[in-house]
Coordinates of all heavy atoms in Angstrom, one line a residue:
M1 N 0.4 5.6 11.0 CA -0.1 6.7 10.2 C -1.6 6.6 10.0 O -2.1 5.4 9.7 CB 0.5 6.7 8.9 CG 0.2 7.8 7.9 SD 1.0 7.8 6.3 CE 2.6 8.2 6.7
A2 N -2.4 7.6 10.1 CA -3.8 7.5 10.0 C -4.2 7.2 8.6 O -3.5 7.5 7.6 CB -4.4 8.9 10.4
L3 N -5.3 6.6 8.4 CA -5.8 6.2 7.0 C -5.9 7.4 6.1 O -5.5 7.3 4.9 CB -7.1 5.4 7.1 CG -7.1 4.1 7.8 CD1 -8.5 3.5 7.9 CD2 -6.0 3.1 7.3
S4 N -6.3 8.5 6.6 CA -6.5 9.6 5.8 C -5.2 10.2 5.4 O -5.0 10.6 4.2 CB -7.3 10.8 6.5 OG -6.6 11.1 7.7
S5 N -4.2 10.1 6.2 CA -2.8 10.5 5.8 C -2.2 9.5 4.8 O -1.5 10.0 3.8 CB -1.9 10.6 7.1 OG -2.4 11.5 7.9
Q6 N -2.5 8.2 5.0 CA -2.0 7.3 4.0 C -2.6 7.6 2.6 O -1.9 7.6 1.6 CB -2.3 5.9 4.3 CG -1.6 5.3 5.6 CD -2.0 4.0 6.0 OE1 -3.0 3.4 5.5 NE2 -1.3 3.4 6.9
R7 N -3.9 7.8 2.6 CA -4.6 8.2 1.3 C -4.0 9.4 0.6 O -3.7 9.4 -0.5 CB -6.1 8.3 1.6 CG -6.8 8.7 0.3 CD -8.3 8.2 0.3 NE -8.9 8.6 -0.9 CZ -8.9 7.9 -2.1 NH1 -8.2 6.8 -2.2 NH2 -9.6 8.4 -3.1
M8 N -3.8 10.4 1.4 CA -3.2 11.7 0.8 C -1.7 11.3 0.3 O -1.4 11.9 -0.8 CB -3.1 12.7 1.9 CG -4.4 13.3 2.3 SD -5.3 14.1 0.9 CE -4.2 15.4 0.4
L9 N -1.0 10.6 1.0 CA 0.3 10.2 0.5 C 0.2 9.5 -0.8 O 0.9 9.8 -1.8 CB 1.1 9.4 1.5 CG 2.4 8.7 1.0 CD1 3.4 9.8 0.7 CD2 2.9 7.7 2.1
F10 N -0.6 8.5 -0.9 CA -0.8 7.7 -2.1 C -1.3 8.5 -3.2 O -0.9 8.4 -4.4 CB -1.8 6.5 -1.9 CG -1.1 5.4 -1.0 CD1 -1.9 4.3 -0.6 CD2 0.2 5.5 -0.6 CE1 -1.3 3.3 0.2 CE2 0.7 4.5 0.3 CZ 0.0 3.4 0.6
K11 N -2.3 9.4 -3.0 CA -2.8 10.4 -4.0 C -1.7 11.2 -4.6 O -1.6 11.4 -5.8 CB -3.9 11.2 -3.5 CG -5.2 10.5 -3.3 CD -6.2 11.3 -2.7 CE -6.8 12.3 -3.6 NZ -8.0 13.1 -3.0
Q12 N -0.8 11.7 -3.7 CA 0.4 12.5 -4.2 C 1.3 11.7 -5.0 O 1.8 12.2 -6.1 CB 1.1 13.1 -3.0 CG 0.2 14.2 -2.4 CD 1.0 14.9 -1.2 OE1 2.0 14.5 -0.8 NE2 0.4 15.9 -0.6
L13 N 1.6 10.5 -4.6 CA 2.5 9.6 -5.4 C 1.9 9.2 -6.7 O 2.7 9.3 -7.7 CB 2.7 8.3 -4.6 CG 3.6 8.5 -3.3 CD1 3.7 7.1 -2.5 CD2 5.0 9.0 -3.5
V14 N 0.7 8.9 -6.9 CA 0.1 8.5 -8.2 C 0.0 9.7 -9.1 O -0.1 9.5 -10.3 CB -1.2 7.7 -8.1 CG1 -1.0 6.4 -7.3 CG2 -2.3 8.6 -7.5
A15 N 0.0 10.9 -8.6 CA -0.1 12.1 -9.4 C 1.1 12.6 -10.0 O 1.1 13.4 -11.0 CB -0.6 13.3 -8.5
I16 N 2.3 12.0 -9.6 CA 3.6 12.4 -10.1 C 3.9 11.5 -11.3 O 4.1 10.3 -11.2 CB 4.7 12.3 -9.1 CG1 4.4 13.1 -7.9 CG2 6.0 12.6 -9.7 CD1 5.4 13.0 -6.8
E17 N 3.7 12.1 -12.5 CA 3.9 11.3 -13.8 C 5.3 10.7 -13.8 O 6.3 11.4 -13.6 CB 3.6 12.2 -14.9 CG 3.6 11.5 -16.3 CD 3.1 12.3 -17.4 OE1 2.3 13.2 -17.2 OE2 3.6 12.1 -18.5
G18 N 5.4 9.5 -14.3 CA 6.7 8.8 -14.5 C 7.4 8.3 -13.1 O 8.5 7.8 -13.2
L19 N 6.8 8.6 -12.0 CA 7.3 8.1 -10.7 C 7.0 6.7 -10.4 O 5.8 6.3 -10.6 CB 6.7 9.0 -9.6 CG 7.2 8.6 -8.2 CD1 8.7 9.0 -8.0 CD2 6.5 9.4 -7.1
Q20 N 8.0 5.9 -10.0 CA 7.7 4.5 -9.5 C 8.0 4.6 -8.1 O 9.0 5.0 -7.6 CB 8.7 3.6 -10.2 CG 8.5 2.2 -9.7 CD 9.5 1.2 -10.3 OE1 10.0 1.4 -11.4 NE2 9.7 0.0 -9.7
S21 N 7.0 4.2 -7.3 CA 7.1 4.1 -5.8 C 6.9 2.7 -5.3 O 6.0 2.0 -5.8 CB 6.1 5.1 -5.2 OG 6.2 6.4 -5.7
I22 N 7.6 2.4 -4.3 CA 7.4 1.2 -3.6 C 7.0 1.5 -2.2 O 7.8 2.2 -1.4 CB 8.7 0.2 -3.7 CG1 9.0 -0.1 -5.1 CG2 8.4 -1.0 -2.8 CD1 10.3 -0.8 -5.2
V23 N 5.8 1.0 -1.8 CA 5.3 1.3 -0.4 C 5.0 0.0 0.3 O 4.3 -0.8 -0.3 CB 4.0 2.2 -0.5 CG1 3.5 2.5 0.9 CG2 4.3 3.5 -1.2
A24 N 5.4 -0.1 1.4 CA 5.1 -1.3 2.3 C 4.2 -0.8 3.4 O 4.6 0.1 4.2 CB 6.3 -2.0 2.8
A25 N 3.0 -1.4 3.6 CA 2.1 -0.9 4.6 C 1.2 -2.1 5.0 O 0.9 -3.0 4.2 CB 1.3 0.2 4.1
S26 N 0.8 -2.1 6.3 CA 0.0 -3.2 6.8 C -1.5 -2.8 6.8 O -2.3 -3.8 6.9 CB 0.5 -3.5 8.3 OG 0.1 -2.5 9.1
F27 N -1.8 -1.5 6.8 CA -3.2 -1.1 6.9 C -3.9 -1.7 8.1 O -5.0 -2.1 8.1 CB -3.9 -1.4 5.6 CG -3.4 -0.8 4.4 CD1 -2.6 -1.5 3.6 CD2 -3.6 0.5 4.1 CE1 -2.0 -0.9 2.5 CE2 -3.0 1.1 3.0 CZ -2.2 0.4 2.2
D28 N -3.1 -1.9 9.2 CA -3.6 -2.6 10.4 C -4.2 -4.0 10.1 O -5.1 -4.4 10.7 CB -4.7 -1.7 11.1 CG -4.1 -0.4 11.6 OD1 -3.0 -0.4 12.0 OD2 -4.9 0.6 11.6
N29 N -3.6 -4.6 9.1 CA -4.0 -6.0 8.7 C -5.5 -6.1 8.3 O -6.1 -7.0 8.6 CB -3.7 -7.0 9.7 CG -2.2 -7.2 9.9 OD1 -1.4 -7.2 9.0 ND2 -1.7 -7.2 11.2
S30 N -6.0 -5.0 7.8 CA -7.4 -4.9 7.4 C -7.6 -4.7 5.9 O -7.1 -3.7 5.4 CB -8.1 -3.8 8.2 OG -9.4 -3.5 7.6
E31 N -8.3 -5.6 5.2 CA -8.6 -5.5 3.8 C -9.4 -4.3 3.6 O -9.3 -3.6 2.6 CB -9.3 -6.8 3.3 CG -9.5 -6.8 1.8 CD -8.2 -6.9 1.0 OE1 -7.2 -7.4 1.5 OE2 -8.3 -6.7 -0.2
E32 N -10.4 -4.0 4.5 CA -11.3 -2.9 4.3 C -10.5 -1.5 4.4 O -10.7 -0.6 3.6 CB -12.4 -2.8 5.4 CG -13.4 -1.8 5.3 CD -14.1 -1.8 3.9 OE1 -14.4 -3.0 3.4 OE2 -14.4 -0.8 3.3
N33 N -9.5 -1.4 5.3 CA -8.6 -0.3 5.4 C -7.9 -0.1 4.0 O -7.7 1.0 3.5 CB -7.7 -0.3 6.5 CG -8.3 -0.2 7.8 OD1 -9.4 0.3 7.9 ND2 -7.6 -0.4 8.9
F34 N -7.3 -1.2 3.5 CA -6.7 -1.1 2.2 C -7.6 -0.5 1.1 O -7.2 0.3 0.4 CB -6.1 -2.5 1.8 CG -5.6 -2.6 0.5 CD1 -4.3 -2.0 0.1 CD2 -6.3 -3.1 -0.6 CE1 -3.9 -2.1 -1.1 CE2 -5.9 -3.2 -1.9 CZ -4.6 -2.7 -2.1
K35 N -8.8 -1.1 1.0 CA -9.7 -0.7 0.0 C -10.0 0.9 0.2 O -10.2 1.6 -0.8 CB -11.0 -1.5 0.1 CG -10.7 -2.9 -0.4 CD -12.0 -3.7 -0.3 CE -11.8 -5.2 -0.7 NZ -13.0 -6.0 -0.6
Q36 N -10.2 1.2 1.5 CA -10.6 2.7 1.7 C -9.5 3.6 1.3 O -9.7 4.6 0.6 CB -10.9 2.8 3.2 CG -11.2 4.3 3.7 CD -11.3 4.3 5.2 OE1 -11.6 3.4 5.8 NE2 -11.2 5.6 5.6
V37 N -8.3 3.2 1.6 CA -7.1 4.1 1.3 C -6.8 4.2 -0.2 O -6.5 5.2 -0.8 CB -5.9 3.7 2.1 CG1 -4.6 4.3 1.6 CG2 -6.0 3.9 3.6
T38 N -7.0 3.1 -0.9 CA -6.6 3.0 -2.3 C -7.8 3.2 -3.3 O -7.6 3.1 -4.5 CB -6.0 1.7 -2.7 OG1 -6.8 0.6 -2.3 CG2 -4.7 1.5 -1.8
K39 N -9.0 3.3 -2.8 CA -10.2 3.5 -3.7 C -10.0 4.6 -4.8 O -9.6 5.7 -4.5 CB -11.4 3.8 -2.9 CG -12.7 3.9 -3.6 CD -13.9 4.1 -2.8 CE -15.1 4.2 -3.7 NZ -16.3 4.4 -2.9
G40 N -10.1 4.2 -6.0 CA -10.1 5.1 -7.2 C -8.7 5.4 -7.6 O -8.5 6.1 -8.6
L41 N -7.7 4.9 -7.0 CA -6.2 5.2 -7.4 C -5.8 4.1 -8.4 O -6.1 3.0 -8.2 CB -5.4 5.2 -6.1 CG -5.7 6.3 -5.1 CD1 -4.7 6.1 -3.9 CD2 -5.7 7.7 -5.6
N42 N -5.0 4.6 -9.3 CA -4.3 3.7 -10.3 C -3.0 3.2 -9.8 O -2.1 4.0 -9.6 CB -4.2 4.4 -11.6 CG -3.6 3.5 -12.7 OD1 -3.8 2.3 -12.7 ND2 -3.1 4.1 -13.7
F43 N -3.0 1.9 -9.5 CA -1.7 1.4 -8.9 C -1.6 -0.1 -9.3 O -2.5 -0.7 -9.7 CB -1.6 1.5 -7.4 CG -2.7 0.7 -6.7 CD1 -2.4 -0.5 -6.2 CD2 -4.0 1.2 -6.5 CE1 -3.4 -1.2 -5.5 CE2 -5.0 0.5 -5.9 CZ -4.7 -0.8 -5.4
K44 N -0.4 -0.7 -9.2 CA -0.1 -2.1 -9.3 C 0.2 -2.7 -8.0 O 1.1 -2.3 -7.3 CB 1.0 -2.4 -10.3 CG 1.3 -3.8 -10.5 CD 2.4 -4.1 -11.4 CE 2.7 -5.5 -11.5 NZ 3.9 -5.8 -12.4
L45 N -0.6 -3.7 -7.5 CA -0.4 -4.3 -6.2 C 0.4 -5.6 -6.4 O 0.1 -6.4 -7.3 CB -1.8 -4.7 -5.6 CG -1.7 -5.5 -4.3 CD1 -1.0 -4.8 -3.2 CD2 -3.1 -6.0 -3.9
I46 N 1.5 -5.7 -5.7 CA 2.3 -6.9 -5.6 C 2.1 -7.5 -4.3 O 2.5 -7.0 -3.3 CB 3.8 -6.7 -5.9 CG1 4.0 -6.0 -7.2 CG2 4.6 -8.0 -5.8 CD1 5.4 -5.6 -7.5
F47 N 1.4 -8.7 -4.2 CA 1.0 -9.3 -2.9 C 2.1 -10.3 -2.6 O 2.5 -11.1 -3.4 CB -0.4 -10.0 -3.1 CG -0.9 -10.5 -1.8 CD1 -1.4 -9.6 -0.9 CD2 -0.7 -11.8 -1.4 CE1 -1.9 -10.1 0.3 CE2 -1.2 -12.3 -0.3 CZ -1.8 -11.5 0.6
W48 N 2.6 -10.2 -1.4 CA 3.6 -11.1 -0.9 C 3.0 -12.0 0.2 O 2.6 -11.4 1.3 CB 4.8 -10.3 -0.3 CG 6.0 -11.1 -0.2 CD1 6.3 -11.8 0.9 CD2 7.1 -11.2 -1.0 NE1 7.5 -12.4 0.8 CE2 8.1 -12.1 -0.4 CE3 7.4 -10.7 -2.3 CZ2 9.3 -12.4 -1.0 CZ3 8.6 -11.0 -2.8 CH2 9.5 -11.8 -2.2
E49 N 3.0 -13.3 0.1 CA 2.5 -14.2 1.0 C 3.2 -14.4 2.3 O 2.7 -14.7 3.3 CB 2.2 -15.6 0.3 CG 1.1 -15.5 -0.8 CD -0.2 -16.0 -0.3 OE1 -0.4 -16.5 0.8 OE2 -1.2 -15.6 -1.0
D50 N 4.5 -14.4 2.1 CA 5.4 -14.8 3.2 C 6.0 -13.6 3.9 O 5.8 -12.5 3.5 CB 6.6 -15.7 2.6 CG 7.3 -16.5 3.6 OD1 6.8 -16.6 4.8 OD2 8.3 -17.1 3.3
K51 N 6.7 -13.8 5.0 CA 7.3 -12.7 5.7 C 8.6 -12.3 4.9 O 9.3 -13.1 4.4 CB 7.7 -13.1 7.0 CG 6.5 -13.3 8.0 CD 6.9 -13.6 9.4 CE 5.7 -13.9 10.2 NZ 4.9 -12.8 10.6
L52 N 8.8 -11.0 4.8 CA 10.0 -10.5 4.2 C 11.3 -10.5 5.1 O 12.3 -10.6 4.6 CB 9.8 -9.0 3.7 CG 8.8 -8.8 2.7 CD1 8.6 -7.3 2.4 CD2 9.1 -9.6 1.4
I53 N 11.1 -10.4 6.3 CA 12.2 -10.5 7.3 C 11.9 -11.7 8.3 O 10.8 -11.7 8.9 CB 12.3 -9.2 8.1 CG1 12.6 -8.1 7.2 CG2 13.4 -9.4 9.1 CD1 12.7 -6.7 7.8
K54 N 12.8 -12.7 8.3 CA 12.5 -13.8 9.2 C 13.9 -14.4 9.5 O 14.9 -14.1 8.9 CB 11.6 -14.9 8.5 CG 12.2 -15.4 7.1 CD 11.2 -16.3 6.5 CE 11.6 -16.8 5.1 NZ 10.6 -17.5 4.5
P55 N 14.0 -15.2 10.5 CA 15.2 -15.9 11.0 C 15.8 -16.7 9.9 O 15.1 -17.3 9.1 CB 14.8 -16.7 12.2 CG 13.5 -16.2 12.6 CD 12.8 -15.6 11.4
L56 N 17.1 -16.7 9.9 CA 17.9 -17.6 8.9 C 17.7 -19.0 9.4 O 17.7 -19.3 10.6 CB 19.3 -17.2 8.8 CG 19.6 -15.8 8.1 CD1 21.1 -15.5 8.2 CD2 19.1 -15.7 6.7
G57 N 17.8 -19.9 8.4 CA 17.8 -21.4 8.8 C 16.6 -21.9 8.9 O 15.8 -22.7 9.1

């Protein structure tokens, strides 16, 4: 998804009062892309260090 489309999606999500959203996105593994998309938006970031899906064992 293009960065501009991600930003529009996030702007719509934060505009809905009382809505809780969970979004997983890589932003092409770029901190700058993340900052560009989320600039000025009110959100809570939960940072996950490890992989969410990995082999068992």
Side-chain angles (χ1 to χ4, degrees):
M1 182 183 289
L3 295 180
S4 59
S5 297
Q6 289 177 355
R7 179 150 177 84
M8 289 301 297
L9 172 63
F10 289 176
K11 285 176 73 173
Q12 290 179 357
L13 291 175
V14 300
I16 302 171
E17 191 172 324
L19 176 69
Q20 177 180 341
S21 300
I22 299 173
V23 178
S26 69
F27 301 99
D28 296 326
N29 293 317
S30 167
E31 185 72 19
E32 186 57 40
N33 287 350
F34 170 76
K35 290 177 181 178
Q36 178 183 342
V37 169
T38 60
K39 184 178 180 179
L41 301 178
N42 183 24
F43 64 96
K44 178 181 178 181
L45 173 65
I46 300 172
F47 187 78
W48 193 278
E49 293 264 344
D50 202 5
K51 294 188 182 284
L52 296 176
I53 300 174
K54 58 185 175 183
L56 296 176

